[in-house]
Amino acid sequence: MTLSPAERYALSRDRRRQPRLAEFASGQRFDLDPFQRAACAALDEDRSVLVAAPTGAGKTVVAEFAVFLAMQEPDAKVFYTTPIKALSNQKYQEFVDTWGADQVGLLTGDTNVNAGGRIVVMTTEVLRNMLYADSPLLDRLAYVVMDEVHYLADRFRGAVWEEVIIHLPESVRLVSLSATVSNAEEFGDWLQAVRGDTDVIVSEARPVPLEQHVLVRGKLVDLFDSSGQAATHRVNPELRRLGDGRSLGVRSQRGRRGSDRGRHPRAGAPGQGRMDRPEAIALLQSQHLLPAIVFVFSRVGCDQAVRQVLRSGIRLTEASEREEIRRVVESRVRVLRDDDLAVLGYWDWLEGLQRGVAAHHAGMLPAFKEVVEELFVRKLVKVVFATETLALGVNMPARSVVLEKLEKFNGEARVPITPGEYTQLTGRAGRRGIDVEGHSVIHWADGLDPEAVAALASRRSYPLNSSFKPTYNMAVNLIDQFGRERTRQILELSFAQFQADRAVVDLARTLRKQEDSMAGFEEAMRCHLGDFAEYSAIRRRIAELEREGAKGNPSHAQRDRLQQEIADRRKAMRAHPCNGCAEREAHARWAERWWRLKRDHDQLASRIRTRTGQVAKRFDRVTDVLAALGYVERDPSGELVSTAAGRILKRIYGERDLLVAECLRRGLWDGLDSAGLAAMAAALVYEPRRDDRGIEFRLPRGPFRAALERTSDAWAVLDDLERDHRLQGSEPPSAVLSQAMHSWARGAHLGKVLEDTELAAGDFVRLAKQVIDLLDQVSIVADAEVGAAARQAIDEVRRGVVIDSVAS
């Protein structure tokens, strides 16, 4: 790239002004893009930064610069948080390759590697727990990177991101990396309000341009007009001509009812202008559009797609590539037992890999998914059929992305994908430094509306909305640390409250600053002889009474009353110990400032109380439930504090936090052996599917059944109490998979467990890891008997495919 003299001068000036940034930039594979340079410059100038940019744009370069800055200091530390363990593992390995294993740590709840390292990669929940425990690992923390920060919109886990952002020490610089959400500026304003100096850097430019096509009647047709009208995103008129008289216009508003029923061909079906999968892959190969990710939106559909392609005889790899694939696979799965490999369909999976085709979805064994990811990144696997979870997962860029449908099942009905989902999916297309452009390909189907497809491609197309709500665990932790009133103020700093009433966040921040100033004034007016605040209150009351007497024309009785009270107050003032202090008037000046600020503080607090919305109201209801159950109580000074039961609840994280704490407190699981406790944990962490209702399932024999009944009764009591306090309540525990977990803990083979449950291997491993996580919490806070059973249960569950996938 040739720079003009002015650009060369500006670059030289920046290098002199920011030598650390210049040194970092010189070591990058590519020249820094403008948004990367602007974000790094903000960090170099000791400001926090929010970077919102498309998938694959290079946001992580900004995070890497934060690591670089920390490593320039003698002992500064940086935490890199990710939403999922797979991303944590990937970033950990990248940092190890750059900085060395002795400098890098990994904390994912079930993995603890070099926790005292200067660069520690962790899931966001781990950092939240550190903050509540005031962990010594937080010492010397300079930067926190929050990768995929838009996860705070997640209904189940999003609150964790807000908790971390609010509770991090003010000295820590925050690097927030987000997809291109439509309200990035609003989110940045909130960060500015709660974290101080924060630059918002928004980039909508893809480093690799995206060409968008529709696959119709055996050919790839550009979605947009490639003539001079292309810049206006005018839909290509050829799409309508290729319809051969069929309407490609807007679909009937009646959806799947009436005459529209059955008009949408199944994926891969021939006819109606739609190519089957093997033909489509052959076309992509002939157009040099591989490697490709094909999004299918169904686990079963992904597996069926692979089988269909393999039946066609397609082979996308050379002999040398097949040899390398076998070497990688064998090195990664050699720790798995042969009988487990047979259950997992290993040989069919390996055959697909060797021919360059694979599936990728949450039902797969994590170790298998990791192999697919590695082989795809190394360009050994050419086509991956994936569900949309891949778009939010690890770094797997492709030359092209194929969408077989523009609708998916959301658990209740088939719905169109959103513009945000479309942007996220197609963001995988285009590999920087390899491709000149990326390509998205949409399979045409009868009823496709090109105008609607064009609308999906709009920029910054989905908003970031807070999912924050106080939980029982959060409430008891915050009350113990800050007290009830201060906790309410902290909750007023949440993004949820910010969105509900942006002014409250600014007011709450001002309130906190006023409290800090008042604390300083209190220290300055402290008197060694007595309580100077009490003394100054007497002086202020005398002044108020004198002003009252000077106003208007009081009656004789009123004048006598005022004079008597003034005399009484003067007597009390002269008798007060502080009246004889040599520094009395200096203290009084500080006291006057304190009183003036307190007046403003009280007025501001009143304004906040009138504006505070549902976040604080929910907190009050949660607190009332905790008080009713004895998890919090008032101390002699009237402050709300946690009880012994509350201190158990402080260490229990998850959807069932209060139920778990209640069961431990009441001894409802006493007498359970390790396998029974694992089965109980499975009943608490498993989220039932719609088709689970009404099905028959077996329960483990022995004490488990009585313990489950006691647990269900405890849930019913809590549910009634929550609803009495206008809280939503929860679903009852589901023991659908308890027998499977009980059998696994007793040493059953994987094949038997999967056969009994009809679970996919990946689902079982995920359930097992959730069970381990809950058992680990129980082992810390339970009494000796249950704690020992929990520790034994962890050892029994963590075996075979579970231990081989535990870091995934």
Side-chain angles (χ1 to χ4, degrees):
M1 180 178 67
T2 304
L3 299 178
S4 69
E7 290 171 328
R8 288 198 299 271
Y9 172 77
L11 189 60
S12 175
R13 181 192 59 202
D14 290 342
R15 284 173 178 159
R16 290 193 303 271
R17 188 163 56 93
Q18 296 179 311
R20 295 186 299 181
L21 176 53
E23 181 185 351
F24 172 77
S26 66
Q28 299 302 300
R29 291 173 53 212
F30 307 100
D31 290 337
L32 295 185
D33 291 334
F35 87 89
Q36 293 170 326
R37 186 169 290 277
C40 290
L43 286 175
D44 201 23
E45 294 168 3
D46 199 32
R47 296 193 299 276
S48 294
V49 65
L50 165 66
V51 182
T55 301
K59 296 186 289 290
T60 55
V61 167
V62 183
E64 289 162 5
F65 182 60
V67 174
F68 176 85
L69 289 177
M71 298 303 284
Q72 304 306 300
E73 302 296 327
D75 56 1
K77 296 165 67 173
V78 56
F79 288 171
Y80 193 111
T81 73
T82 72
I84 57 178
K85 293 176 183 177
L87 272 176
S88 293
N89 295 335
Q90 187 179 60
K91 294 308 299 183
Y92 168 73
Q93 194 56 57
E94 290 175 7
F95 287 135
V96 166
D97 293 343
T98 303
W99 297 100
D102 60 321
Q103 299 284 359
V104 186
L106 176 65
L107 299 174
T108 59
D110 47 28
T111 301
N112 186 329
V113 178
N114 193 22
R118 293 185 58 194
I119 308 165
V120 186
V121 184
M122 62 187 68
T123 53
T124 316
E125 282 84 355
V126 170
L127 178 53
R128 186 270 311 273
N129 299 351
M130 276 188 191
L131 289 166
Y132 280 158
D134 196 22
S135 168
L137 294 175
L138 296 168
D139 292 346
R140 303 185 308 280
L141 181 61
Y143 298 92
V144 165
V145 177
M146 303 200 77
D147 202 354
E148 310 278 0
V149 74
H150 48 275
Y151 257 76
L152 69 77
D154 183 83
R155 183 163 60 98
F156 298 106
R157 299 172 58 207
V160 177
W161 273 256
E162 293 192 44
E163 290 177 79
V164 168
I165 291 169
I166 291 170
H167 293 306
L168 275 175
E170 285 192 16
S171 60
V172 175
R173 288 291 163 253
L174 191 65
V175 182
S176 305
L177 308 179
S178 171
T180 45
V181 294
S182 55
N183 60 335
E185 289 82 2
E186 179 189 38
F187 183 52
D189 288 346
W190 174 68
L191 290 174
Q192 174 77 31
V194 297
R195 301 294 313 162
D197 290 343
T198 302
D199 285 11
V200 179
I201 311 295
V202 177
S203 173
E204 300 183 54
R206 289 174 49 101
V208 180
L210 181 66
E211 299 290 330
Q212 306 189 69
H213 318 278
V214 178
L215 181 56
V216 54
R217 295 190 175 275
K219 64 181 294 188
L220 286 174
V221 181
D222 291 343
L223 173 61
F224 296 113
D225 188 357
S226 58
S227 68
Q229 301 291 326
T232 64
H233 278 197
R234 187 166 74 94
V235 172
N236 189 350
E238 186 181 0
L239 283 177
R240 301 188 182 280
R241 291 198 299 272
L242 285 171
D244 193 25
R246 292 179 188 269
S247 169
L248 296 182
V250 179
R251 215 159 131 184
S252 165
Q253 294 299 312
R254 289 178 293 174
R256 288 195 172 269
R257 298 193 300 274
S259 61
D260 275 357
R261 185 180 298 277
R263 291 180 62 193
H264 297 275
R266 60 183 174 84
Q272 297 193 352
R274 189 183 185 98
M275 299 179 73
D276 66 15
R277 288 177 175 126
E279 291 175 339
I281 290 174
L283 177 62
L284 292 175
Q285 185 179 32
S286 69
Q287 298 287 323
H288 306 290
L289 294 181
L290 298 182
I293 298 172
V294 183
F295 286 107
V296 179
F297 301 135
S298 158
R299 295 182 186 182
V300 173
C302 290
D303 295 333
Q304 289 176 340
V306 172
R307 289 194 293 270
Q308 180 186 4
V309 171
L310 295 182
R311 283 197 302 269
S312 73
I314 277 184
R315 189 182 300 277
L316 303 173
T317 54
E318 304 291 339
S320 60
E321 293 175 317
R322 292 192 287 276
E323 182 178 342
E324 180 66 9
I325 288 169
R326 283 193 299 273
R327 188 192 66 76
V328 170
V329 171
E330 289 169 2
S331 69
R332 296 293 294 271
V333 304
R334 65 176 181 271
V335 293
L336 297 176
R337 296 158 41 119
D338 288 344
D339 55 349
D340 286 347
L341 290 176
V343 170
L344 297 167
Y346 169 75
W347 300 108
D348 290 338
W349 174 68
L350 177 59
E351 173 64 15
L353 292 175
Q354 290 184 112
R355 288 163 64 177
V357 182
H360 189 289
H361 57 74
M364 294 172 61
L365 191 71
F368 281 20
K369 285 197 297 182
E370 291 165 11
V371 169
V372 172
E373 292 159 8
E374 179 180 347
L375 295 177
F376 189 81
V377 170
R378 294 175 59 176
K379 295 179 279 187
L380 295 171
V381 165
K382 318 294 183 181
V383 177
V384 170
F385 292 95
T387 56
E388 71 270 27
T389 54
L390 178 60
L392 297 172
V394 295
N395 183 26
M396 277 181 63
R399 182 162 173 74
S400 60
V401 164
V402 181
L403 279 68
E404 290 198 342
K405 292 184 178 180
L406 294 178
E407 61 180 19
K408 66 175 185 176
F409 186 70
N410 67 356
E412 298 178 357
R414 299 206 70 84
V415 296
I417 64 172
T418 65
E421 289 168 333
Y422 181 87
T423 302
Q424 196 81 23
L425 295 168
T426 58
R428 292 286 177 190
R431 300 160 300 174
R432 189 169 189 175
I434 300 174
D435 300 319
V436 177
E437 71 271 323
H439 298 265
S440 71
V441 178
I442 299 164
H443 271 276
W444 176 78
D446 189 25
L448 182 71
D449 177 12
E451 298 288 348
V453 177
L456 283 175
S458 62
R459 294 177 175 178
R460 289 220 277 163
S461 43
Y462 60 106
L464 179 60
N465 293 315
S466 172
S467 61
F468 182 86
K469 61 180 182 181
T471 64
Y472 296 109
N473 167 274
M474 183 195 305
V476 76
N477 269 290
L478 292 177
I479 286 171
D480 231 23
Q481 198 165 358
F482 302 109
R484 182 171 186 166
E485 287 307 310
R486 182 66 183 273
T487 294
R488 289 181 106 260
Q489 295 171 15
I490 288 170
L491 295 177
E492 285 152 6
L493 294 172
S494 69
F495 188 43
Q497 184 61 44
F498 185 84
Q499 290 189 304
D501 181 358
R502 293 184 60 168
V504 167
V505 173
D506 293 326
L507 294 175
R509 184 174 175 82
T510 301
L511 197 71
R512 289 175 65 177
K513 288 183 176 179
Q514 287 180 340
E515 289 171 348
D516 291 341
S517 297
M518 288 170 65
F521 293 164
E522 285 178 8
E523 183 62 31
M525 71 179 181
R526 189 182 303 277
C527 179
H528 67 289
L529 296 178
D531 184 349
F532 202 89
E534 181 182 71
Y535 176 74
S536 67
I538 298 173
R539 287 177 51 147
R540 286 180 63 83
R541 180 57 182 162
I542 293 172
E544 289 174 1
L545 292 170
E546 290 174 340
R547 285 195 297 271
E548 186 178 338
K551 288 190 299 185
N553 188 22
S555 65
H556 183 75
Q558 290 172 326
R559 188 179 299 111
D560 286 347
R561 180 185 59 79
L562 286 171
Q563 291 300 326
Q564 183 60 49
E565 185 173 355
I566 289 173
D568 291 343
R569 297 279 178 174
R570 288 187 183 280
K571 182 178 179 181
M573 181 183 70
R574 287 192 294 270
H576 198 283
C578 292
N579 194 59
C581 179
E583 300 179 8
R584 182 186 66 195
E585 293 311 310
H587 292 330
R589 286 192 291 273
W590 286 110
E592 188 60 31
R593 296 179 189 178
W594 185 88
W595 282 107
R596 283 200 300 266
L597 191 57
K598 185 179 187 303
R599 180 192 60 208
D600 294 342
H601 173 273
D602 291 345
Q603 291 174 349
L604 192 58
S606 176
R607 288 173 61 193
I608 289 175
R609 281 194 296 272
T610 62
R611 296 188 182 204
T612 297
Q614 59 187 14
V615 176
K617 288 177 183 176
R618 177 182 168 85
F619 167 73
D620 288 339
R621 293 166 186 166
V622 164
T623 304
D624 290 343
V625 169
L626 292 173
L629 292 170
Y631 284 88
V632 294
E633 64 183 10
R634 295 202 178 274
D635 65 10
S637 67
E639 284 293 319
L640 212 58
V641 295
S642 67
T643 62
R647 288 187 283 278
I648 292 176
L649 179 57
K650 284 174 64 175
R651 304 296 296 273
I652 303 295
Y653 301 93
E655 292 290 304
R656 304 278 193 186
D657 50 6
L658 185 57
L659 178 58
V660 171
E662 191 71 356
C663 289
L664 292 175
R665 171 198 193 188
R666 293 169 53 188
L668 303 186
W669 298 340
D670 291 355
L672 282 177
D673 62 7
S674 54
L677 197 55
M680 184 63 70
L684 294 174
V685 301
Y686 177 64
E687 295 178 15
R689 299 169 299 187
R690 290 196 313 165
D691 51 4
D692 285 339
R693 294 191 175 95
I695 67 169
E696 294 184 5
F697 54 88
R698 293 185 297 125
L699 291 177
R701 298 181 182 276
F704 174 82
R705 300 186 181 194
L708 177 64
E709 186 173 347
R710 293 192 297 268
T711 302
S712 297
D713 290 344
W715 166 83
V717 171
L718 292 181
D719 191 62
D720 288 342
L721 185 61
E722 287 176 320
R723 295 181 191 279
D724 289 344
H725 285 83
R726 291 177 294 165
L727 291 168
Q728 188 173 359
S730 60
E731 291 293 317
S734 173
V736 172
L737 298 179
S738 291
Q739 177 63 55
M741 190 54 60
H742 189 272
S743 299
W744 178 256
R746 286 284 181 89
H749 289 159
L750 178 65
K752 175 62 176 172
V753 172
L754 295 184
E755 179 184 349
D756 289 346
T757 62
E758 298 183 356
L759 276 180
D763 291 330
F764 175 72
V765 169
R766 185 163 53 255
L767 172 71
K769 289 191 288 186
Q770 291 172 328
V771 165
I772 290 170
D773 186 46
L774 178 55
L775 290 172
D776 185 52
Q777 297 173 42
V778 169
S779 72
I780 295 171
V781 298
D783 60 25
E785 178 189 351
V786 176
R791 287 187 288 275
Q792 184 178 343
I794 291 171
D795 293 337
E796 293 170 349
V797 174
R798 187 184 271 147
R799 66 178 179 88
V801 295
V802 175
I803 195 170
D804 294 327
S805 305
V806 80
S808 302

